[in-house]
Amino acid sequence: MLSRRNFIKLAGSSAGLLIASCEIKQLKTSASAHVVIIGGGFGGATVAKYIRKLDKTIQVTLIEPNTHYTSCPGSNWVLGGLKKVTSLNFNYKSLSSHYDVNLIYNKVTSINTNKRIVTLLDRQKIRYDKLIVSPGIDFRWDTIEGHNESTTNIIPHAWKAGVQTTLLANQLKAMDDGGTVVICTPPNPYKCPPGPYERASMIAHYLKNHKPKSKILILDPKSHFSKQNLFIEGWKKHYGFGDNNSMIEWLSIPDNPVIKIDVKNKIVETDFGDKYKADVLNYIPAQKAAHIAEESGLCDQSGWCPVTHNSSESTLHSDIHIIGDASKYSPLPKSAFAANSEAKVCAFAIVNILNEQEIISPTWINTCYSLITKSHGISVAMVYKLNKNGKLNKVEGAGGVTQNTDDKSLSLEANYSRQWFKNITKDSFS
Ligand SMILES: Cc1cc2nc3c(=O)[nH]c(=O)nc-3n(C[C@H](O)[C@H](O)[C@H](O)COP(=O)(O)OP(=O)(O)OC[C@H]3O[C@@H](n4cnc5c(N)ncnc54)[C@H](O)[C@@H]3O)c2cc1C
């Protein structure tokens, strides 16, 4: 007999169907609904757990290609020498053993929205009553000349954590003192708005301790960035910014973005032909919803997936709910905190829909912490609600950025940041 804990080839639905190798087989009969989730990141893992917590009669199957997840939050700290890359890894065992979530380690290659079937890489087919899509982002390689996925082993983006994080960390270690690190940040929208600036801070932290004559140049296609004043204040205090001895320089080039890379020589070229030579080049590409969302017709022209916010249901296909980075949840940022919050709202909505109950009017929360040094943290927080017209809005008077900038308060923020990492990964993966 197949155990739900074992990796299945199992998938129940209200019709109780397992479809394998293009063949539809009856596995078990169940009156319960079958929710299938694509992607075991912060969004997918959280929604799997919370649906099972809310209603144990609903069968939940999580499909994810990797047996462990490597967290992007915390990955900049690895570059600063504050964390080991292995400490970013989380597995799905607890979702299976504590919450009886069916796990399938595989990749979804297509979604048949009419028949409500997903197909996996091995051609296995799984039927769903409700599908939740949380596959994260992919990169827009069409906005850059000379560089693509195949050259990321030379010019790492490190915007998906793991091998790429280690590669960038090793390049920094191999760089001579006095070298230049160029960070090319992406245009909006992208995952983790403060991420590139925390990265600059963490690289500066490493360089200050090991290669103090080195420089960091941030080439930015934006005129403003998240927590800008707090970052700049921190950079001035710890690394030098805005004078001749600065370790960090920020160059805003909205009208003259980077369009070309000479990978071999690590030279970036802008639209006006300006060239910048790097010793270590960290190019973070422009982004869009992950391939599976795009291929399945879940994205609009923006490259992201439009949803009705109170249920996260796709506005383009019924019975498909999209959460996390791939979805359009603005003004919520694309963050792990937001993905976790969207996942909980989505779990409540799906349980209510399946139980023929009204969907509640939800509230979403986000906080983004960043470290400037080990003991200098900053944050931005916000609460979001739907207004009378069903539009997602910031709640007036809620949230804000770090107010107290004395050393004790900033050190507390750094501790909150580390504590937040422990809490969110526990909430999502165990
Ligand atoms: C450097 C960096 C630092 C960050 N720091 C923070 C931070 O401090 N705080 C914060 O809140 N956020 C942070 N973020 C943002 C955060 O990582 C993302 O917003 C969050 O991971 C989004 O969760 P998600 O579930 O939408 O996508 P992801 O976490 O990316 O998960 C997507 C999952 O879907 C799977 N998948 C993709 N396609 C398929 C398919 N076809 N079939 C099956 N599975 C598939 C992938 O394998 C992956 O496991 C950071 C990001 C970066 C890059």
Side-chain angles (χ1 to χ4, degrees), residues 137-144 185-190 283-288 304:
I137 60 110
D138 267 320
F139 299 117
R140 306 190 85 119
W141 293 113
D142 56 338
T143 66
I144 189 78
T185 72
N188 288 322
Y190 63 96
Y283 178 81
I284 307 166
Q287 294 160 33
K288 59 183 179 180
W304 303 99

Side-chain angles (χ1 to χ4, degrees), residues 162-385:
V163 177
Q164 280 278 306
T165 314
T166 305
L167 184 62
L168 182 55
N170 286 344
Q171 290 189 357
L172 292 168
K173 278 185 198 139
M175 187 180 83
D176 289 338
D177 190 6
T180 301
V181 180
V182 176
I183 303 173
C184 298
T185 72
N188 288 322
Y190 63 96
K191 76 164 154 176
C192 196
Y197 313 96
E198 180 186 55
R199 173 163 295 173
S201 311
M202 286 291 95
I203 292 178
H205 184 264
Y206 168 76
L207 295 177
K208 187 177 172 180
N209 289 320
H210 298 93
K211 303 166 194 222
K213 288 185 263 171
S214 308
K215 301 275 181 209
I216 300 167
L217 171 64
I218 306 168
L219 292 176
D220 204 331
K222 304 179 290 298
S223 327
H224 309 282
F225 60 88
S226 173
K227 295 182 272 188
Q228 184 164 347
N229 291 342
L230 290 167
F231 272 113
I232 287 177
E233 232 177 278
W235 292 343
K236 280 184 179 160
K237 186 168 172 179
H238 301 289
Y239 307 120
F241 180 84
D243 59 35
N244 291 339
N245 294 320
S246 301
M247 179 174 265
I248 300 178
E249 185 184 352
W250 175 64
L251 203 56
S252 170
I253 46 170
D255 303 326
N256 182 24
V258 170
I259 54 160
K260 200 170 169 182
I261 297 182
D262 171 349
V263 170
K264 193 166 160 245
N265 297 304
K266 297 193 177 164
I267 295 173
V268 297
E269 188 173 331
T270 68
D271 204 12
F272 297 165
D274 301 332
K275 291 185 180 175
Y276 300 90
K277 164 97 181 98
D279 295 292
V280 172
L281 178 55
N282 176 214
Y283 178 81
I284 307 166
Q287 294 160 33
K288 59 183 179 180
H291 191 66
I292 185 66
E294 194 179 22
E295 282 295 296
S296 311
L298 297 173
C299 300
D300 64 17
Q301 282 184 334
S302 69
W304 303 99
C305 306
V307 293
T308 305
H309 292 122
N310 66 351
S311 62
S312 68
E313 189 165 16
S314 166
T315 58
L316 303 175
H317 290 287
S318 56
D319 295 319
I320 299 186
H321 298 243
I322 306 145
I323 55 172
D325 289 348
S327 62
K328 286 175 91 169
Y329 258 95
S330 174
L332 262 87
K334 297 187 185 300
S335 73
F337 201 126
N340 176 278
S341 190
E342 291 156 19
K344 288 171 183 167
V345 169
C346 178
F348 270 102
I350 284 186
V351 168
N352 283 358
I353 292 168
L354 292 173
N355 284 292
E356 296 177 358
Q357 308 261 316
E358 238 178 85
I359 299 177
I360 52 164
S361 180
T363 303
W364 295 263
I365 318 172
N366 180 66
T367 305
C368 279
Y369 291 99
S370 305
L371 286 184
I372 291 177
T373 71
K374 194 178 176 181
S375 52
H376 182 149
I378 56 174
S379 66
V380 56
M382 188 43 70
V383 181
Y384 305 83
K385 253 181 141 19

Side-chain angles (χ1 to χ4, degrees), residues 38-44 63-66 69 71-77 92 106-109 134-137 158-160 191-192 195 198-199 290 292 323-326 334-339 366-369 420:
I38 302 177
F42 283 99
I63 307 170
E64 160 64 47
N66 305 303
Y69 177 76
S71 165
C72 279
S75 63
N76 285 331
W77 306 348
Y92 302 100
N106 211 321
K107 186 173 178 179
V108 175
T109 52
S134 186
I137 60 110
W159 219 241
K160 295 194 178 182
K191 76 164 154 176
C192 196
E198 180 186 55
R199 173 163 295 173
I292 185 66
I323 55 172
D325 289 348
K334 297 187 185 300
S335 73
F337 201 126
N366 180 66
T367 305
C368 279
Y369 291 99
W420 170 80

